[in-house]
Amino acid sequence: MTAHWQARRSGPSPQRPGDRRTPWQRDRARVLHSAAFRRLQSKTQIMNVGENDFYRTRLTHSLEAAQIGASLINQLHHIGTEQEVSMLPDLNLMETLCLAHDIGHPPFGHGGETALNFKMLAAGGFEGNGQTFRIVGKLEAYHPEHGMDLTRRTLLGLLKYPVLMPELPVPVPASQPGSLAQWRPAKALFSCDADLLDWVLEPLSKADKDIFQEVETLSESPWQRSKHKSLDASLMELADDIAYGVHDLEDAVVTGTLSESQWHAHLDKVVANLDSSLADLMRQLGRQLFSSQHSVRKDAIGALVNIFVTAVHITEVSPETEEPLIRFNACLPESERYLLDSLKKVVFEHVINQPAIQQLRYRSQNMLLNLFTAFHTEPMRLLPDNTRIRWQAAYNEKGQAAADRILCDYIAGMTDDYAERMYRNLYVI
């Protein structure tokens, strides 16, 4: 891999005496030892942290995604052409991307993300992947200016949406909404981090950059859809999808949230549309998933993951570009993609969209809305010392929008438990 993809924004730095690690191993260590990564242990995946000690958290989800990402790389090493194998990310790089992909998510999952986006509409919006990019590139404490100071290729791989936020509509009056459904965040990076994005994309030609950053404009939230991602990001996103579609499904089965009859009601018509061999396997795995023997169920979960890992292949998605890292993506064949999307829909319909979960999401969203209001109204009085100093500096130098971004960084970095305690401190008598 050419030197510019191994570069760090801080420039060349001597390694410690005797340190034989590769750049990708150093990136992985920085993510693993970061405060943002540790906080994932107390952030919601689907079911609220603390409600059951079996449920997955953002941390265990990220660990599972990293293991699946490594399996995807191993598979492609065995089936790929020499050119394809030469493009693949190192195993340490793949794990780094999967471990880091969710560290920008705020407390209370996507409900918290939408709440912060609503509060930040006048100051550039909020989106979890954009916050991940901001944490690794600017906020973490490894470097005074460049966050974790990760390599350029690692940062490129974390760009699920390599574009900046569009201009966002601001509700008038900007009061607390009755519903946040229309304020889902645009999938993009924050304009205040444009300098970091420019640095990451610097090795691309202007033509490649223009293609890579193409967007489709939408008439309602999330307002735009970016069309492209890098090879590494496509592998990371596939690992994330498999972990969500299969392992979060396991949570639903074990806890009784998803019944066998609900499974058949949703999946039987899906299975009927699959190739005969895959359909037969899915009927068998459907029976195993609801077995009373835990070992039988675990075998079914492993077999489901194997379906997708062994189907992965490299596809040329942007033939007009020069840079291989953006010309190719990892993809699934049509049948396997359809099946994985169907499993994700099962998790959404029978877990996420259930009244009990949505009631918790509504409660959590309102907690974050109120926390933001309190800190925005009385920042010098209520913010902790370090955050207050950063807020004051941003306000003096760049104004209210920059100060709101500092406030948003603070709230987004909270764990679920910390956010709830802070809410009780401020609002509960």
Side-chain angles (χ1 to χ4, degrees):
M1 182 52 57
T2 49
H4 56 246
W5 291 117
Q6 295 186 28
R8 301 182 190 277
R9 201 175 183 198
S10 64
S13 59
Q15 290 195 212
R16 297 183 180 97
D19 186 354
R20 305 299 181 199
R21 293 176 299 169
T22 66
W24 323 122
Q25 289 172 320
R26 294 174 70 190
D27 281 0
R28 182 177 181 272
R30 292 181 185 196
V31 170
L32 272 173
H33 295 289
S34 67
F37 182 72
R38 288 196 300 276
R39 291 189 186 106
L40 295 178
Q41 66 187 305
S42 190
K43 288 193 176 185
T44 293
Q45 173 64 11
I46 292 180
M47 301 173 186
N48 273 25
V49 171
E51 294 211 345
N52 186 307
D53 61 7
F54 176 83
Y55 294 161
R56 286 169 166 87
T57 65
R58 289 274 174 193
L59 178 64
T60 58
H61 163 76
S62 298
L63 292 170
E64 288 170 337
Q67 185 273 322
I68 293 170
S71 296
L72 292 170
I73 298 299
N74 286 331
Q75 175 70 13
L76 289 169
H77 268 284
H78 281 91
I79 67 168
T81 65
E82 184 177 345
Q83 180 195 15
E84 290 171 350
V85 169
S86 70
M87 295 186 298
L88 292 176
D90 175 270
L91 277 174
N92 289 285
L93 171 54
M94 189 71 254
E95 288 194 5
T96 301
L97 299 178
C98 294
L99 292 172
H101 82 280
D102 266 354
I103 62 175
H105 273 269
F108 310 125
H110 289 290
E113 180 185 42
T114 305
L116 286 181
N117 181 59
F118 177 80
K119 285 296 189 179
M120 289 293 291
L121 287 172
F126 179 84
E127 197 274 333
N129 296 285
Q131 188 70 9
T132 293
F133 190 64
R134 182 167 169 78
I135 287 171
V136 299
K138 292 190 174 181
L139 299 183
E140 270 288 342
Y142 286 87
H143 189 278
E145 297 175 357
H146 305 310
M148 294 186 196
D149 197 26
L150 303 178
T151 57
R152 182 182 266 120
R153 180 166 179 175
T154 299
L155 292 174
L156 179 71
L158 288 172
L159 291 176
K160 287 180 70 172
Y161 317 110
V163 296
L164 296 177
M165 280 278 182
E167 188 171 338
L168 300 171
V170 180
V172 179
S175 58
Q176 197 129 313
S179 169
L180 289 173
Q182 62 178 313
W183 302 111
R184 291 174 299 149
K187 304 299 186 181
L189 308 176
F190 312 134
S191 59
C192 58
D193 299 322
D195 58 326
L196 179 58
L197 177 61
D198 288 343
W199 181 81
V200 173
L201 302 184
E202 193 176 284
L204 303 182
S205 68
K206 184 181 184 306
D208 276 10
K209 193 181 301 184
D210 288 344
I211 293 170
F212 188 52
Q213 294 189 285
E214 288 176 342
V215 298
E216 177 185 357
T217 303
L218 306 176
S219 59
E220 55 186 21
S221 65
W223 313 114
Q224 69 179 21
R225 182 182 294 118
S226 59
K227 295 183 177 181
H228 304 288
K229 60 179 68 68
S230 70
L231 170 64
D232 299 352
S234 71
L235 282 160
M236 176 264 286
E237 188 169 47
L238 180 55
D240 184 24
D241 281 352
I242 295 171
Y244 171 67
V246 178
H247 289 303
D248 290 350
L249 173 70
E250 181 183 12
D251 276 4
V253 172
V254 172
T255 58
T257 310
L258 176 68
S259 68
E260 189 168 5
S261 61
Q262 289 171 327
W263 165 268
H264 286 296
H266 197 104
L267 262 294
D268 283 356
K269 56 182 176 291
V270 172
V271 171
N273 292 325
L274 300 176
D275 298 336
S276 58
S277 58
L278 183 55
D280 290 343
L281 177 58
M282 283 303 301
R283 292 187 187 98
Q284 175 190 335
L285 296 181
R287 292 190 294 270
Q288 290 179 228
L289 268 178
F290 295 92
S291 170
S292 58
Q293 293 181 278
H294 295 330
S295 60
V296 174
R297 185 191 67 247
K298 291 300 291 187
D299 184 61
I301 292 296
L304 280 172
V305 172
N306 185 68
I307 288 173
F308 304 116
V309 168
T310 56
V312 67
H313 63 274
I314 301 295
T315 300
E316 190 176 39
V317 291
S318 299
E320 63 275 36
T321 57
E322 298 175 9
E323 172 55 58
L325 289 181
I326 65 171
R327 191 191 314 158
F328 297 93
N329 273 188
C331 301
L332 290 177
E334 186 176 344
S335 290
E336 283 79 3
R337 185 75 251 181
Y338 170 60
L339 175 59
L340 181 55
D341 288 344
S342 299
L343 293 180
K344 290 168 63 180
K345 287 178 182 176
V346 170
V347 173
F348 180 81
E349 289 297 331
H350 295 291
V351 182
I352 296 174
N353 213 29
Q354 289 304 297
I357 297 295
Q358 288 302 314
Q359 287 162 13
L360 286 171
R361 175 174 286 193
Y362 182 81
R363 170 179 173 268
S364 302
Q365 282 181 328
N366 280 287
M367 281 198 290
L368 284 198
L369 290 171
N370 286 319
L371 278 178
F372 194 102
T373 297
F375 290 126
H376 183 268
T377 305
E378 295 271 15
M380 300 303 290
R381 181 183 177 194
L382 299 178
L383 287 173
D385 291 343
N386 287 341
T387 306
R388 186 171 67 244
I389 291 169
R390 292 177 61 233
W391 183 94
Q392 185 71 71
Y395 184 84
N396 291 342
E397 183 179 350
K398 297 182 179 178
Q400 186 65 57
D404 282 349
R405 181 60 62 189
I406 300 300
L407 170 54
C408 188
D409 290 339
Y410 172 57
I411 297 176
M414 294 179 178
T415 63
D416 294 16
D417 294 339
Y418 185 87
E420 190 151 354
R421 286 198 306 274
M422 182 64 70
Y423 177 83
R424 286 200 304 267
N425 290 342
L426 293 175
Y427 287 101
V428 178
I429 299 175

